């Protein structure tokens, strides 16, 4: 089972994004997660921001609205996905915008590659550590098992459309199980008290 790490990157400078994306991707994949990125140059209608583990948001986009306005919209929807908000103007100016707009739950960064990557890595690692907690992993495994159960049920219902086929399937499974149990009982080391 490979857990997906979903990243939304809202950036209009594709060249800059592509120049550092491999570093972010390897950061995620080195921790046994599958890297899944959705990129857009501006706000997209009907985008489910809650489906992402992390949002990387540039301040100045190709068109209106600006990054800070999109973050405000996300928070107004009561979505608390981690956001790294960055700008070429530097961290001080972006923090000032964040204070002015009252942006909550946002990490700030400049656009210098080393600083930006360090900030993103810190946020990603925090999220991954929470996910790798044993209690959370149990929940994820159980969710996967439930999904598999549903898939198996759907597959069986496709192939066993009639009651006759269902009865044949049931007889076959029961017969095979009985044979296996009898083999165990015939084994010399088997304690037949059970």
């Amino acid at each position: 089972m490979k857990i997906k790490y979903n990243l939304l990157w809202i950036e209009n400078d594709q060249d800059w994004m592509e120049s550092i994306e491999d570093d972010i991707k390897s950061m995620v994949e080195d921790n046994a997660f599958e890297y899944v990125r959705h990129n857009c140059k501006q706000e997209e209608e009907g985008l489910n921001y809650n489906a992402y583990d992390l949002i990387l948001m540039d301040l100045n986009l190709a068109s209106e609205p600006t990054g800070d306005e999109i973050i405000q919209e996300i928070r107004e929807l009561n979505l608390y996905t981690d956001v790294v908000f960055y700008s070429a103007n530097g961290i001080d100016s972006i923090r000032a915008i964040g204070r002015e707009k009252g942006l909550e739950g946002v990490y700030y960064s400049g656009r210098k590659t080393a600083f930006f990557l360090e900030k993103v890595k810190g946020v990603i690692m925090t999220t991954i550590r929470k996910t790798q907690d044993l209690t959370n992993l149990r929940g994820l495994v159980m969710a996967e098992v439930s999904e598999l159960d549903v898939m198996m049920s759907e597959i069986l219902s496709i192939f066993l459309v009639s009651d006759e086929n269902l009865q044949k399937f049931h007889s076959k499974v029961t017969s095979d199980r009985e044979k296996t149990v009898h083999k165990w009982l015939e084994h010399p080391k088997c304690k037949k008290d059970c």
Side-chain angles (χ1 to χ4, degrees), residues 156 159-177 179:
L156 287 174
F159 290 105
L160 306 173
V161 185
S162 69
D163 287 338
E164 183 182 326
N165 286 343
L166 182 60
Q167 194 63 27
K168 285 179 185 176
F169 176 76
H170 180 41
S171 296
K172 171 81 172 123
V173 170
T174 305
S175 169
D176 288 350
R177 187 71 184 143
K179 288 176 187 174

Side-chain angles (χ1 to χ4, degrees), residues 6-25 35-44 47 49 52 54-58 61 84 86 111 113 116-117 120 124:
N6 295 298
L7 184 106
L8 173 63
W9 201 334
I10 303 177
E11 168 64 62
N12 62 311
D13 184 352
Q14 298 297 301
D15 292 337
W16 181 75
M17 183 191 75
E18 290 171 3
S19 72
I20 62 172
E21 182 177 23
D22 285 343
D23 292 327
I24 295 171
K25 182 179 180 182
Y35 175 79
V36 180
R37 177 195 42 91
H38 177 77
N39 174 244
C40 46
K41 296 179 182 182
Q42 60 197 34
E43 183 179 35
E44 289 182 4
L47 192 60
Y49 295 104
Y52 299 97
L54 176 62
I55 300 172
L56 303 179
M57 177 77 66
D58 186 17
L61 302 169
V84 175
Y86 63 93
R111 201 177 181 114
T113 302
F116 177 79
L117 286 173
V120 170
I124 288 172

Side-chain angles (χ1 to χ4, degrees), residues 98-111:
R99 274 192 302 276
E100 178 187 318
K101 300 272 181 154
L103 300 180
E104 294 181 351
V106 177
Y107 299 94
Y108 299 98
S109 177
R111 201 177 181 114

Side-chain angles (χ1 to χ4, degrees), residues 104-164:
E104 294 181 351
V106 177
Y107 299 94
Y108 299 98
S109 177
R111 201 177 181 114
K112 290 186 179 175
T113 302
F115 184 73
F116 177 79
L117 286 173
E118 194 61 36
K119 181 72 68 156
V120 170
K121 180 181 180 181
V123 175
I124 288 172
M125 292 310 298
T126 300
T127 309
I128 286 175
R129 270 194 308 278
K130 289 177 189 174
T131 305
Q132 288 176 334
D133 176 64
L134 187 57
T135 305
N136 291 334
L137 280 178
R138 281 189 195 119
L140 291 169
V141 168
M142 291 311 297
E144 287 293 317
V145 167
S146 294
E147 258 185 59
L148 288 174
D149 286 346
V150 169
M151 287 170 49
M152 285 176 20
S153 177
E154 289 171 355
I155 290 168
L156 287 174
S157 68
I158 290 169
F159 290 105
L160 306 173
V161 185
S162 69
D163 287 338
E164 183 182 326

Side-chain angles (χ1 to χ4, degrees), residues 59-115:
L59 169 64
N60 300 311
L61 302 169
S63 63
E64 296 294 323
T66 57
D68 56 314
E69 293 168 338
I70 296 172
I71 294 170
Q72 274 186 312
E73 289 175 25
I74 292 169
R75 295 305 187 233
E76 286 170 5
L77 294 169
N78 291 324
L79 302 176
Y80 301 102
T81 304
D82 287 329
V83 177
V84 175
F85 187 35
Y86 63 93
S87 173
N89 300 344
I91 196 165
D92 292 333
S93 68
I94 197 110
R95 278 192 178 135
I97 292 169
R99 274 192 302 276
E100 178 187 318
K101 300 272 181 154
L103 300 180
E104 294 181 351
V106 177
Y107 299 94
Y108 299 98
S109 177
R111 201 177 181 114
K112 290 186 179 175
T113 302
F115 184 73

